[in-house]
Amino acid sequence: MSEHERTPGPADQVPAQREDSGEVIGVRRGMFGADNGGDTTGYSRLVRTVVLPGGTARPYGGWFDEVADELEGALEEQGILPESAIEKTVVDRGELTFHIAREQLPLVARTLRDDPALRFELCTGVSGVHFPGDRGRELHAVYHLRSITHNRLIRLEVGVPDDDPHLPSLVGVYPANDWHERETYDFFGLVFDGHPALTRIMMPDDWQGFPQRKDYPLGGIPVEYKGAQIPAPDQRRSYS
């Protein structure tokens, strides 16, 4: 086996560390980071560090400071220390992201929705991300919020550990998140506490595992279609 085809071992693992440009959580080899065989993409010698953006110091620039100031002030008016709710603020690639403590997520979202100077009335959904190298925060939930009133777009991001993948549902704040949270649960295993009917939405109810996690097997899953039946309407799953 040539050097560029070898399977990465423990010596290739990079511990999480802080850098000026962000947090290094690992190394990716090849096009997709596969570590269980030869890379057939032609990019087997490609080596890249996996870096998460670090917190950004003020000033953020433009209206980003206005939103941050208003959000922090609104939280203080409710008796919440901003630093207890906002873990860090990141400006990266011209976009503003607030990293939120999971227990404060509904309060922050409701504040962003209702405060007249913020008015982020629309949440276009929640997406899941799996970073196995982000120790203690392996699973991330990312929310995209848009203010129709002020024509602004921001993100909220919440990180939870793989062994405790719970965070509050935002269906009570943004009802349209219902099916988005179900999809994120279905594919990543994030558990949205308080969701009215947190069941799988794409995969069968008895499916094992979460297909979009990076530790999910890429093949070898037996699938049987013969003999499949569609239950009668009065026997199908109910959400009431």
Side-chain angles (χ1 to χ4, degrees):
M1 180 181 294
S2 63
E3 172 65 20
H4 65 270
E5 292 178 334
R6 69 183 180 85
T7 301
D12 300 303
Q13 303 303 314
V14 176
Q17 54 185 295
R18 301 298 302 182
E19 288 191 346
D20 292 340
S21 58
E23 182 179 0
V24 179
I25 62 171
V27 171
R28 178 176 296 169
R29 296 180 179 273
M31 178 63 76
F32 304 111
D35 59 1
N36 57 352
D39 190 317
T40 61
T41 65
Y43 290 89
S44 56
R45 294 188 179 183
L46 180 65
V47 179
R48 294 173 292 170
T49 55
V50 181
V51 182
L52 300 182
T56 304
R58 287 179 179 269
Y60 304 137
W63 54 264
F64 291 176
D65 289 283
E66 298 175 25
V67 170
D69 290 342
E70 185 63 30
L71 176 58
E72 292 175 5
L75 291 174
E76 289 177 343
E77 290 177 0
Q78 301 175 72
I80 303 297
L81 292 175
E83 56 269 26
S84 69
I86 305 172
E87 296 177 341
K88 68 177 177 179
T89 301
V90 176
V91 177
D92 185 57
R93 296 174 175 85
E95 298 179 330
L96 176 64
T97 303
F98 294 108
H99 289 251
I100 306 300
R102 58 176 163 180
E103 63 273 8
Q104 301 289 2
L105 178 62
L107 174 64
V108 171
R110 189 172 290 106
T111 301
L112 287 165
R113 183 194 67 182
D114 295 344
D115 188 284
L118 296 170
R119 292 297 291 154
F120 286 90
E121 309 99 328
L122 177 64
C123 179
T124 58
V126 56
S127 303
V129 190
H130 186 205
F131 292 113
D134 192 9
R135 303 304 180 192
R137 295 167 48 88
E138 291 87 357
L139 293 169
H140 291 221
V142 183
Y143 303 82
H144 299 266
L145 305 184
R146 180 174 291 278
S147 171
I148 300 173
T149 299
H150 303 294
N151 190 25
R152 292 170 173 174
L153 179 67
I154 65 172
R155 276 200 300 261
L156 301 182
E157 188 164 339
V158 179
V160 297
D162 206 357
D163 57 1
D164 182 21
H166 291 260
L167 70 162
S169 170
L170 286 189
V171 172
V173 182
Y174 296 108
N177 264 22
D178 188 334
W179 283 17
H180 291 276
E181 290 184 1
R182 286 179 58 196
E183 182 180 25
T184 306
Y185 161 71
D186 195 358
F187 289 146
F188 289 91
L190 282 160
V191 180
F192 296 90
D193 296 328
H195 188 283
L198 193 63
T199 54
R200 290 190 182 270
I201 193 171
M202 298 290 288
M203 308 303 292
D205 288 346
D206 58 352
W207 193 264
Q208 299 296 312
F210 306 102
Q212 288 190 350
R213 289 196 187 187
K214 289 185 172 64
D215 55 3
Y216 190 80
L218 297 178
I221 303 298
V223 178
E224 179 62 64
Y225 291 100
K226 296 180 181 179
Q229 297 181 353
I230 299 176
D234 60 344
Q235 298 175 359
R236 294 175 189 171
R237 183 174 58 201
S238 174
Y239 301 113
S240 59

